Amino acid sequence: MIASMDTRPHALAPDAHVALVDALVEQGWYVGQGVIDPALCQALQGELLHLAAHDALDEAGIGRGQQHLLRKDIRGDAIHWLDRESEAQRHYLDAMAELQRSLNQALFLGLFEYEAHFAHYPAGAFYQRHLDSFRGRANRVISTVGYLTPDWPADGGGEMVIYDPDNPSREVARVVPEAGTFACFLSETIPHEVLPTRLPRTSIAGWFRRNASLGGVLDPAR
């Protein structure tokens, strides 16, 4: 019996893996425009907007486990965790699994799993400057952001600002949240924030993780 071939278009541009690995090594972060397949962006965007319209998103908080808090003065997005419930989600998560293999082969990171959620920022929402993982926790290693909103205007706001890890007050990049753009960075070392958005802003935030434990207790995804 002949195994079936995956005839889906590449979710990420074929040359993105090499450029991404090189950028992570050189500066700790990567941004590529037009990296995510446009049809996949459209499908994921439609799914996220459907969830938002039917009040199926959860308010995002800060911290994990018992330290999880809702703080609108720090973070104003709403989320829905990806669980492979649609073909578009499966396509995106399969692409992240391929990227995980590339990162492990090139950088010997020991990445064990990937978690991701839709993120919907209503007009006026933002996320203050932060790190995605505390040093020494070794749970979230590399962060990813895939942007879904098409035709983002120049005055739309909502940019992700990346800061110099050696000088956290110095801006080194500003990422316009335009559909197809894909960003990733080292979770423990790269400070970043989302500026206030003038329009609804959609994306997928994700993290490659190691299989870590804290005090002998497994640190689970999410």
Side-chain angles (χ1 to χ4, degrees):
M1 181 176 179
I2 300 175
S4 60
M5 299 289 290
D6 188 347
T7 58
R8 298 177 299 184
H10 289 288
L12 301 184
D15 59 348
H17 286 206
V18 174
L20 187 154
V21 168
D22 288 346
L24 285 179
V25 171
E26 292 173 7
Q27 60 191 16
W29 56 272
Y30 162 85
V31 177
Q33 296 177 329
V35 171
I36 309 172
D37 175 68
L40 179 58
C41 283
Q42 184 177 14
L44 291 166
Q45 166 82 344
E47 186 172 342
L48 175 48
L49 293 180
H50 177 82
L51 291 168
H54 289 79
D55 296 323
L57 301 174
D58 298 315
E59 288 187 277
I62 60 172
R64 295 159 72 89
Q66 294 181 346
Q67 284 75 46
H68 185 265
L69 297 171
L70 295 179
R71 289 287 304 274
K72 287 291 188 180
D73 57 322
I74 295 176
R75 177 181 186 181
D77 57 323
I79 67 172
H80 178 83
W81 290 95
L82 272 61
D83 57 8
R84 305 185 72 88
E85 64 189 3
S86 68
E87 174 60 27
Q89 288 192 32
R90 291 189 290 273
H91 195 183
Y92 188 84
L93 292 173
D94 287 346
M96 293 301 104
E98 293 176 8
L99 180 56
Q100 178 177 310
R101 288 190 288 271
S102 293
L103 290 167
N104 280 336
Q105 290 170 4
L107 303 178
F108 306 101
L109 293 175
L111 303 176
F112 177 76
E113 63 184 346
Y114 180 78
E115 59 178 355
H117 62 61
F118 285 122
H120 182 274
Y121 285 76
F126 57 89
Y127 194 162
Q128 290 185 2
R129 185 168 55 190
H130 63 284
L131 293 171
D132 281 352
S133 182
F134 294 110
R135 289 184 183 274
R137 285 287 299 270
N139 49 7
R140 291 175 171 176
V141 181
I142 294 178
S143 303
T144 69
V145 187
Y147 294 96
L148 305 178
T149 313
D151 303 319
W152 192 263
D155 62 350
E159 298 95 338
M160 180 176 71
V161 180
I162 297 174
Y163 294 95
D164 183 347
D166 296 321
N167 181 7
S169 64
R170 186 175 78 88
E171 179 181 325
V172 295
R174 186 169 291 207
V175 185
V176 176
E178 171 69 26
T181 295
F182 185 77
C184 70
F185 49 90
L186 301 179
S187 303
E188 288 187 343
T189 59
I190 302 297
H192 57 286
E193 71 173 315
V194 175
L195 299 178
T197 181
R198 294 185 58 251
L199 303 170
R201 174 193 188 274
T202 55
S203 63
I204 294 176
W207 300 270
F208 292 106
R209 296 165 44 93
R210 291 195 183 103
N211 188 13
S213 61
L214 297 171
V217 177
L218 184 67
D219 180 27
R222 304 186 190 176

